[in-house]
Amino acid sequence: DVGRGTFSQRHAMFVCQDTENVYVPLNNIGEGQGKIEVANSNLSELAVLGFEYGVSIQSPSVLPIWEAQFGDFNNTAQVIIDTYISSGESKWLRQSGLVMLLPHGYDGAGPEHSSSRIERFLQLCNTPMDMSNEGATQNPNMHVAVPTTPAQIFHLLRRQMTRNYRKPLVVAGPKTLLRLSAATSTLDDMAPGTTFQPVLPDVLTKSPEKVKRIVLVAGKLYYDLAKAHDQQPAEIKDKVAIVRLEEICPFPHEQLARELGRFSNAQEYVWCQEETMNAGVFTFVQPRIQSILPGKHQLSYIGRAPLAAPVTGISNVFKAEQAHILAAIFADI
């Protein structure tokens, strides 16, 4: 499954049905390039993730990527995540650049294979809630990101190798963006001088001074919100801005505060997510966003109600919930 690509990528290798010869496109780009090894591993997440963690410790110049077919498959490797990946540097001063690619996103497929349980990774993160406190610094034990464009993924992976230290990277990204025409980047977005952007600014409103409601979101739900925004009358469009958080940990306090500062007349700040209230990133970002909101503004929530399962398994209920979220964003403004 790794080679044929049922995960966050497609066709990492091609196998001839007649000769069984293997062709890896990424190993045939140009002279003097690096090499990628694509390994179809055995079905033991615990064993394979442990192996890849060992590779990251032994060979820091190698970029080891462990990719789950669905994000929730990481749950059978929880011991490796808890004992090594999230806390290894703190306990043993050993840095790891391991990358975990975890498909994550609600597409109506039911409770299984929808959620990477990103909230569990965030609970393991050590960054402060309020950077305004004296002496507060960010030295995260790992990075957790929810990129929504190809350029952002490119920069995330490249950053793992170009910086002079190593941190584990958890990427929660939906498979649906692979075939979504709106989720594209140009080569200019990956040109020299460009970098990963922890916050992607609002690009839907033309007059920041007219914005009354700022919607903060992470992940593929942005594209649903952007489509719904485009369908609103002009007087509603002008009042709603949508800002994307692409990196959740370390939390981008400065970048987000700078973006929010563009909207001097904003009156409402909303966190919107497709996950249930007790899942996703809401409980992690809520106190951190609250610490940088101007005045006495409070961050409100629009999303699914708390649920024991990641999401309902009834298609009609799922669609109704999704429609309610999108409608609520543009209501009463």
Side-chain angles (χ1 to χ4, degrees):
D1 285 340
V2 177
R4 68 176 181 170
T6 63
F7 301 32
S8 299
Q9 44 78 21
R10 290 292 183 269
H11 309 308
M13 65 166 60
F14 294 100
V15 180
C16 177
Q17 291 181 334
D18 295 327
T19 65
E20 295 191 0
N21 288 335
V22 174
Y23 178 80
V24 179
L26 290 175
N27 281 334
N28 293 273
I29 297 175
E31 295 291 333
Q33 67 168 82
K35 180 183 178 182
I36 181 172
E37 179 181 354
V38 182
N40 291 310
S41 58
N42 62 303
L43 285 176
S44 171
E45 289 79 12
L46 177 73
V48 179
L49 185 60
F51 175 83
E52 298 293 359
Y53 175 80
V55 170
S56 71
I57 294 295
Q58 183 67 27
S59 304
S61 60
V62 172
L63 177 62
I65 299 176
W66 183 83
E67 189 170 38
Q69 188 170 15
F70 295 98
D72 52 359
F73 284 12
N74 77 78
N75 57 15
T76 60
Q78 196 68 49
V79 172
I80 301 298
I81 297 167
D82 292 346
T83 307
Y84 297 95
I85 296 173
S86 66
S87 58
E89 182 179 2
S90 176
K91 292 186 290 189
W92 308 307
L93 302 180
R94 300 300 301 272
Q95 294 186 353
S96 167
L98 174 69
V99 177
M100 297 180 66
L101 297 184
L102 305 177
H104 174 98
Y106 289 11
D107 303 311
E112 269 57 69
H113 306 339
S114 292
S115 173
S116 67
R117 290 297 191 181
I118 187 174
E119 62 274 7
R120 294 178 180 171
F121 290 94
L122 293 171
Q123 190 180 41
L124 296 171
C125 292
N126 64 350
T127 57
M129 292 187 183
D130 188 352
M131 286 296 292
S132 65
N133 292 333
E134 185 177 354
T137 59
Q138 293 220 59
N139 181 26
N141 55 325
M142 57 185 178
H143 289 247
V144 180
V146 192
T148 57
T149 72
Q152 290 283 78
I153 295 175
F154 167 79
H155 286 302
L156 272 174
L157 296 179
R158 183 177 181 273
R159 186 180 70 176
Q160 284 294 102
M161 301 307 297
T162 58
R163 57 190 179 188
N164 61 358
Y165 61 92
R166 296 291 180 258
K167 294 286 182 181
L169 169 65
V170 178
V171 179
K175 297 181 180 182
T176 53
L177 296 192
L178 283 169
R179 55 183 181 270
L180 185 66
S181 59
T184 58
S185 300
T186 67
L187 290 177
D188 288 340
D189 296 325
M190 295 169 262
T194 59
T195 61
F196 175 74
Q197 303 297 315
V199 175
L200 287 181
D202 171 77
V203 294
L204 302 176
T205 54
K206 296 182 174 60
S207 303
E209 69 278 3
K210 295 181 180 180
V211 170
K212 300 299 181 184
R213 177 179 295 167
I214 298 178
V215 180
L216 302 166
V217 66
K220 76 176 184 65
L221 183 61
Y222 167 78
Y223 292 102
D224 295 330
L225 293 173
K227 184 177 179 180
H229 185 280
D230 187 57
Q231 296 169 349
Q232 303 300 314
E235 60 271 19
I236 299 297
K237 286 183 182 180
D238 290 341
K239 294 179 180 179
V240 180
I242 304 176
V243 178
R244 278 177 278 181
L245 266 66
E246 299 278 291
E247 188 166 50
I248 311 302
C249 180
F251 189 79
H253 293 265
E254 293 182 11
Q255 296 93 329
L256 182 57
R258 187 163 53 246
E259 173 63 8
L260 296 182
R262 294 200 301 124
F263 308 100
S264 56
N265 296 316
Q267 299 173 357
E268 295 180 74
Y269 299 85
V270 177
W271 178 262
C272 183
Q273 66 179 33
E274 60 182 359
E275 297 90 348
T276 58
M277 194 177 190
N278 59 319
V281 308
F282 174 67
T283 55
F284 183 86
V285 302
Q286 191 275 334
R288 292 165 173 82
I289 295 174
Q290 190 62 54
S291 72
I292 61 175
L293 292 185
K296 296 183 179 180
H297 289 292
Q298 296 293 313
L299 182 70
S300 59
Y301 169 85
I302 293 178
R304 287 178 167 83
L307 191 69
V311 70
T312 179
I314 303 173
S315 179
N316 288 340
V317 174
F318 173 84
K319 292 177 181 178
E321 291 175 343
Q322 200 78 355
H324 174 75
I325 292 172
L326 297 178
I329 288 297
F330 303 99
D332 303 322
I333 187 169

